[in-house]
Amino acid sequence: MKEKSQRKLYNVLSKKGIKNFVGVPDSTIKYFIDEGLNKKKILISTREEEAIGIATGMSLSGEKSLVFMQNAGFANSLSTITSLVQLYQIPIILLIGWRGFLKNDAPEHEKIGKIQPQLIKTIGLESKIVDEKNLKNTCDWALTKLNQGKSIGLIIKREFID
């Protein structure tokens, strides 16, 4: 997703009521994160499970929250997602950068990139890939689900190699 669209994604979600943006930096979503940092609305954590715990507390206080992470961190946090977020029906948006989407990505991203769609399906996490064309509709879908008390995933494909 291009810089302008990532910044727009942050601003659309913020204007539509997401108050808390917590996570572990990922270059796939670097402009999304930068937009929030510029507005002093991003909380950086050291691990994805920590970010999920913080966002859970914020959600329980009535504030809408989003956790951003790369897909390796998503895989690391499967237990936290299934045994906390899903079990107790905590409404959180998980924004997941899809490393390994490109076939010539770094070797450490290939395996998780290949199995990410199946992991998401296996744990029953409703998700959509967000891109420049569907940004507004996908944000509306995500916020509708959040307002219904559901946790969902928004996926951003990593379309570059650095």
Side-chain angles (χ1 to χ4, degrees):
M1 183 180 269
K2 294 180 176 33
E3 178 179 352
K4 185 177 179 181
S5 296
Q6 286 192 29
R7 292 184 187 284
K8 182 178 180 180
L9 176 63
Y10 174 87
N11 287 310
V12 167
L13 291 169
S14 181
K15 286 177 184 165
K16 291 187 176 264
I18 302 298
K19 299 291 183 203
N20 307 296
F21 298 84
V22 187
V24 178
D26 175 19
S27 61
T28 303
I29 52 177
K30 63 186 170 188
Y31 300 113
F32 176 92
I33 296 166
D34 183 63
E35 189 70 12
L37 286 171
N38 289 339
K39 296 178 186 221
K40 303 191 182 329
K41 293 289 187 177
I42 292 277
L43 179 61
I44 301 295
S45 64
T46 56
R47 293 191 49 92
E48 290 78 3
E49 300 92 323
E50 175 187 21
I52 292 168
I54 292 166
T56 294
M58 292 172 164
S59 293
L60 291 172
S61 76
E63 291 192 345
K64 295 178 179 143
S65 300
L66 176 145
V67 176
F68 54 90
M69 64 186 76
Q70 66 173 277
N71 55 347
F74 169 73
N76 288 342
S77 60
L78 287 174
S79 178
T80 306
I81 294 166
T82 58
S83 64
L84 176 64
V85 174
Q86 291 180 326
L87 180 65
Y88 296 103
Q89 300 175 355
I90 309 295
I92 294 175
I93 295 174
L94 302 175
L95 180 65
I96 305 165
W98 189 355
R99 291 174 164 247
F101 169 74
L102 295 175
K103 300 300 179 221
N104 58 347
D105 202 340
E108 64 270 20
H109 302 307
E110 288 179 9
K111 181 69 172 185
I112 192 67
K114 183 177 180 181
I115 66 171
Q116 177 178 325
Q118 189 60 43
L119 286 175
I120 290 169
K121 183 178 179 182
T122 298
I123 67 167
L125 181 67
E126 288 186 73
S127 67
K128 289 192 177 201
I129 295 171
V130 61
D131 60 29
E132 283 86 2
K133 295 174 189 167
N134 70 6
L135 191 146
K136 185 181 178 324
N137 288 339
T138 302
C139 287
D140 289 344
W141 169 83
L143 290 159
T144 297
K145 293 292 184 180
L146 203 65
N147 289 332
Q148 294 171 351
K150 299 186 186 229
S151 57
I152 58 93
L154 294 178
I155 315 303
I156 294 182
K157 293 178 182 176
R158 183 179 181 89
E159 297 175 335
F160 62 91
I161 306 291
D162 58 1

